Amino acid sequence: MKTLFRILGTAAAVAVTGAAIVVLDKILNQKDPLHVEEVEFPEEAEKDAEEAEKTAEAYAEAEAKEEAKAADAAAEAAEEEARNAQAYADAEALEAADKAVEAAMAFGKLGDYRDARSRSLALWDTLAVRDTISAGTGYTVGLKRDGTVVAVGDNRAGECNVSGWTDIVAVSAGDNFTVGLKSDGTVVAVGDNEDGECDVSSWTDIVAVSAGDYHTVGLKVDGTVVSVGRNKYGECNVSSWTDIVAISAGDDCTVGVKTDGTVVAVGAGNKIQGLDRWTDIVSVSAGNFHTVRLKSDGTVVAKGSDIDGECDVGGWTDIVAASAGVGYTVGLKRDGTVVAVGDNRDGDCNVSGWTDIVAVSTGFWHTVGLKRDGTVVAVGNNEYGQCDVGDWTGIKLPSDR
C-alpha cells in the first residue's frame, strides 16, 4: 500500500507523498511548521493492489509464452536433428552401395550438417564433368596440374587475364569471357560482363561450370543449377531443375543431364526441341546451332542445324567425349583418336592424325586436344594465336582428381 500524507495549513489541504513535504514547505513558505498527518486512502490502496495484480498476471503470462516458445523451438530443433541424422545415414548408405551420384546429391542437400558439404564435394570431385582445356571465341584456356591457368589468343575483353588464378579445378571459355571453378566450390570470372555473365562471385557449393556465349551456368552439390547473364530466350531459367549431373551452356540455350539419363533444356532454337525424349545420356555439349549428346553405350546423337553435316554422327562408336563447335562436331574415341564432321573451312576438323588424346574442346573456328602427357594440340583458325599451344605442358588430365 502506498503511504500518503495530508498536509494541513492555512492555505489549503494537499495530499502528497512523503518525499514532497520538504519541497512543499519551501513553496508555501509558511512561517509556522507544517502539520502532517498520516492517513489512509482505501480507494487508492485498492487501485494500487489491482494494478500490481494485473502486472503480475501479465508478467506470468509473458513468461509462460516465452517458455512455450522455447519449448516449441527445442522440439523443432530436435525434429530437424532427427531428420538430418536420418538423411545423413541415408546418404552414407547410398555411398556404401556405390551410388556415388545419389550420395553426392544427398550429402549436398544437407548443407552445413556435420561434414556433409565436404563429403559431397569429395564425391563430386570424382564425378563431375570438368574441363581442363577449353576453346572459346578466338582464344584457348588450359588448366595446369598445380591449379593455375594459362590462356592464349584474343584478349580484347580481358578474357585471357587468368594468370593470377590459383586453386582452380575446372575452366570454361565463353564468347569473350572465361570462368574458373575453385576447389572450395566458389567461382571466378574475367572478360566481357556486358550481360552479367561474370557475376558469379557470390556462388558457392558449385561442382561444375559452363560458359555460353553470353551466360554462365553452374551445377551445385545438391543437383540444382544456377545461371547468370543474358536471358533473352530464357536460357537462364534453370532454377527449377533438380537431380542434374551434367550441364552445358550454348549460344542461347542451356542443357542439363539428369541422374536417370534424360535431358532437360531451356532457351531458343530447334537444337533443343524434343530433347526431353532422349534417354541413356551421360554428357551433353550445346553448340551455337546444334547440340550433341553422348550415350552410355559410346554412341552419339545430335539435334539442330545440319547444314554442314555437323549432326552426321550416327555411325560413331566407342566415343567417350563429344564437343559441338560452330557448324562442326568432334568426338574423342576410347583409343585416344579423334573424329570430326561438319564445316572444315578453317581446318578445325583436321584431327584424323591425333593420337593419345584424353580430352577435346571446340571453339568457334578451332579445335584443341589434350594429350596423355599433358601437352596440347590445336587445329583451325589461328587469327588471334588461339592455336599457339605447342609449348604448353603440365596441363591437368581429366583423370587427375
Side-chain angles (χ1 to χ4, degrees):
M1 178 185 295
K2 184 186 294 182
T3 302
L4 301 176
F5 299 86
R6 184 169 62 191
I7 305 173
L8 304 178
T10 56
V14 186
V16 298
T17 62
I21 294 176
V22 177
V23 177
L24 283 173
D25 187 26
K26 292 180 180 179
I27 293 173
L28 296 175
N29 195 23
Q30 296 188 32
K31 294 180 182 179
D32 299 328
L34 294 174
H35 176 66
V36 181
E37 264 183 27
E38 184 175 347
V39 295
E40 292 184 0
F41 293 85
E43 292 181 3
E44 291 292 338
E46 186 176 345
K47 191 181 295 183
D48 286 348
E50 290 175 356
E51 290 179 359
E53 185 175 353
K54 288 179 181 178
T55 301
E57 289 176 354
Y59 180 82
E61 184 178 349
E63 194 173 46
K65 285 182 179 179
E66 287 298 322
E67 290 177 353
K69 189 185 294 185
D72 289 343
E76 288 180 9
E79 290 176 2
E80 183 178 8
E81 169 62 26
R83 287 194 300 270
N84 286 339
Q86 183 59 56
Y88 189 90
D90 292 342
E92 287 188 311
L94 288 170
E95 185 177 12
D98 290 330
K99 296 182 177 181
V101 174
E102 293 84 350
M105 290 185 183
F107 279 125
K109 291 174 183 177
L110 284 167
D112 290 324
Y113 184 74
R114 298 185 189 174
D115 60 347
R117 174 174 279 104
S118 61
R119 291 187 69 166
S120 178
L121 287 171
L123 285 168
W124 277 114
D125 195 42
T126 65
L127 297 168
V129 178
R130 293 174 175 173
D131 294 329
T132 60
I133 55 168
S134 187
T137 303
Y139 75 107
T140 303
V141 180
L143 170 63
K144 295 179 72 70
R145 287 193 177 100
D146 62 2
T148 59
V149 181
V150 291
V152 292
D154 188 5
N155 194 35
R156 285 174 292 180
E159 55 264 58
C160 291
N161 296 340
V162 295
S163 60
W165 286 4
T166 59
D167 202 27
I168 304 296
V169 295
V171 291
S172 185
D175 183 38
N176 50 9
F177 70 102
T178 305
V179 179
L181 172 64
K182 295 178 72 72
S183 64
D184 63 357
T186 59
V187 182
V188 290
V190 292
D192 183 25
N193 194 35
E194 183 177 351
D195 292 290
E197 54 264 56
C198 291
D199 295 340
V200 295
S201 60
S202 63
W203 285 6
T204 58
D205 294 336
I206 304 297
V207 295
V209 290
S210 181
D213 277 8
Y214 310 104
H215 73 296
T216 303
V217 182
L219 173 62
K220 294 180 69 71
V221 292
D222 60 359
T224 59
V225 180
V226 291
S227 183
V228 293
R230 191 180 72 175
N231 197 32
K232 184 177 180 179
Y233 301 102
E235 54 263 52
C236 290
N237 296 340
V238 296
S239 60
S240 63
W241 288 7
T242 58
D243 297 327
I244 303 298
V245 295
I247 53 173
S248 182
D251 172 27
D252 50 15
C253 71
T254 302
V255 183
V257 179
K258 295 177 71 72
T259 54
D260 62 1
T262 58
V263 177
V264 289
V266 291
N270 66 348
K271 57 183 174 286
I272 66 169
Q273 293 174 3
L275 302 189
D276 56 344
R277 295 190 293 271
W278 287 15
T279 59
D280 202 28
I281 305 299
V282 294
S283 69
V284 62
S285 177
N288 279 55
F289 309 110
H290 73 298
T291 303
V292 295
R293 289 143 189 93
L294 173 65
K295 295 175 69 75
S296 62
D297 63 359
T299 60
V300 179
V301 286
K303 175 74 175 179
S305 172
D306 196 28
I307 295 176
D308 296 296
E310 56 264 50
C311 291
D312 297 342
V313 295
W316 287 5
T317 58
D318 292 326
I319 303 297
V320 294
S323 183
V326 178
Y328 72 105
T329 303
V330 175
L332 172 62
K333 294 180 70 70
R334 193 177 305 278
D335 63 1
T337 59
V338 182
V339 291
V341 292
D343 184 4
N344 194 34
R345 281 172 289 184
D346 289 295
D348 30 23
C349 291
N350 295 339
V351 295
S352 60
W354 287 5
T355 58
D356 292 327
I357 304 297
V358 295
V360 291
S361 179
T362 54
F364 262 55
W365 310 292
H366 74 296
T367 303
V368 294
L370 173 61
K371 294 180 70 70
R372 196 177 306 279
D373 62 0
T375 60
V376 180
V377 290
V379 293
N381 186 291
N382 197 33
E383 180 180 357
Y384 301 102
Q386 59 264 49
C387 292
D388 295 340
V389 295
D391 61 345
W392 284 9
T393 59
I395 300 300
K396 186 175 182 178
L397 307 181
S399 58
D400 293 337
R401 295 291 187 168

